[in-house]
Amino acid sequence: MSIKTNNSSMLPIEKAIKFGVHNLEDRELLAIIISSGTKGNTCLDIADTILNEKSNMDGLVSLLDKDILDFQTLKGIGQVKSVQLSALSEISKRIWKREKVTNLKRFQKANDIANFFMQELRNKDHEELHLMLFNISLRLITTKRISVGSLTSSYISMKELTSALVKEPCAAFAIVHNHPSGDPEPSSDDFIFTKEVLKVSMLVEVHFIDHIIIGDNKYYSFKEEGFFDKK
């Protein structure tokens, strides 16, 4: 099925070749990724469906929050197109995180850690707990997703955390998890958990630099709020 723009008979691919992809509209970029239409719907029609979806408030950025099943609920998006769009979303997240590592070099502030995970975690419908491992200069060694929870909670035993910290030598670490509600304010369980993590850090002699809770474009830092000063 041919792909046509509303204001021109030129195909998005032809337009990209002639003028460069930076001159394409969001819908045209999506149409190229989708690549084929369905009965009664061109690629641009399907792209419009995605971008104009009721829950879509941020245009292309909202693609980062969808998974394969989310895409399949949209008109004209089958399993293959859902996988393609999910792959695009995952590539974008990985580029974002690698750019952050390259540009930052060192994770010195809570904001550095929060921004690293913000796009990945801010709209999850479940809690995830991630571990960040750093060398002595606070350069990132690796990240590990160590727990996936329900809508309201994420669990990891202190034994699992200890094992993760000693398995790969590091000088410091941070814990990051998200609140599906969008409100990063810590619960009483979050405070208890952070105290337990602090005990583990002292036991294994690895510096615990912060526990960050990700909300919807906002975060809570236990370090910034003085938690570690009270220990």
Side-chain angles (χ1 to χ4, degrees):
M1 186 170 293
S2 63
I3 310 173
K4 295 183 179 181
T5 66
N6 287 334
N7 301 316
S8 171
S9 61
M10 185 176 289
L11 302 178
I13 290 178
E14 294 173 347
K15 185 176 176 180
I17 293 171
K18 187 170 183 179
F19 301 109
V21 292
H22 60 282
N23 282 308
L24 297 185
E25 299 174 0
D26 290 352
R27 63 197 297 268
E28 293 171 322
L29 289 169
L30 268 182
I32 290 175
I33 299 299
I34 293 167
S35 76
S36 63
T38 60
K39 187 176 181 180
N41 293 284
T42 66
C43 294
L44 283 169
D45 292 332
I46 297 172
D48 286 335
T49 296
I50 295 172
L51 293 175
N52 296 324
E53 185 200 1
K54 189 174 181 180
S55 63
N56 189 340
M57 301 296 291
D58 300 310
L60 290 176
V61 176
S62 294
L63 298 182
L64 299 176
D65 305 323
K66 291 181 172 59
D67 59 22
I68 292 174
L69 295 179
D70 292 327
F71 284 119
Q72 282 187 278
T73 64
L74 303 177
K75 183 179 179 181
I77 303 295
Q79 188 176 57
V80 173
K81 285 186 174 62
S82 295
V83 172
Q84 291 171 330
L85 290 167
S86 295
L88 173 64
S89 173
E90 183 60 27
I91 288 170
S92 300
K93 290 175 186 175
R94 294 186 188 188
I95 290 173
W96 168 273
K97 292 173 78 172
R98 287 172 190 173
E99 281 294 309
K100 287 293 180 184
V101 171
T102 301
N103 293 335
L104 279 175
K105 301 298 184 183
R106 299 175 65 194
F107 286 74
Q108 297 176 294
K109 302 176 183 178
N111 188 54
D112 297 335
I113 297 173
N115 284 337
F116 185 76
F117 276 103
M118 186 62 70
Q119 292 305 321
E120 180 177 356
L121 297 180
R122 71 184 184 93
N123 284 324
K124 294 280 188 184
D125 62 0
H126 58 273
E127 284 195 9
E128 291 188 4
L129 191 66
H130 291 253
L131 175 66
M132 301 181 77
L133 304 179
F134 305 95
N135 66 16
I136 196 168
S137 299
L138 293 185
R139 297 179 189 276
L140 185 65
I141 297 172
T142 189
T143 65
K144 299 175 182 290
R145 186 175 67 176
I146 51 179
S147 178
V148 178
S150 64
L151 179 65
T152 57
S153 61
S154 180
Y155 300 97
I156 178 174
S157 72
M158 292 304 108
K159 183 177 180 180
E160 289 175 300
L161 177 60
T162 302
S163 175
L165 289 173
V166 300
K167 185 176 292 185
E168 188 158 1
C170 60
F173 72 97
I175 294 288
V176 182
H177 87 277
N178 63 301
H179 280 177
S181 67
D183 181 2
E185 194 67 24
S187 66
S188 57
D189 286 341
D190 289 330
F191 279 102
I192 293 170
F193 173 75
T194 307
K195 288 179 182 177
E196 292 300 313
V197 173
L198 189 57
K199 292 178 183 177
V200 168
S201 73
M202 293 175 177
L203 178 66
V204 298
E205 298 183 334
V206 179
H207 182 43
F208 181 23
I209 63 173
D210 209 345
H211 177 187
I212 300 288
I213 302 176
I214 300 294
D216 188 5
N217 273 332
K218 49 190 174 181
Y219 71 90
Y220 181 97
S221 162
F222 279 79
K223 182 178 181 179
E224 286 183 343
E225 296 301 322
F227 176 86
F228 295 96
D229 300 331
K230 301 171 186 177
K231 64 181 185 291

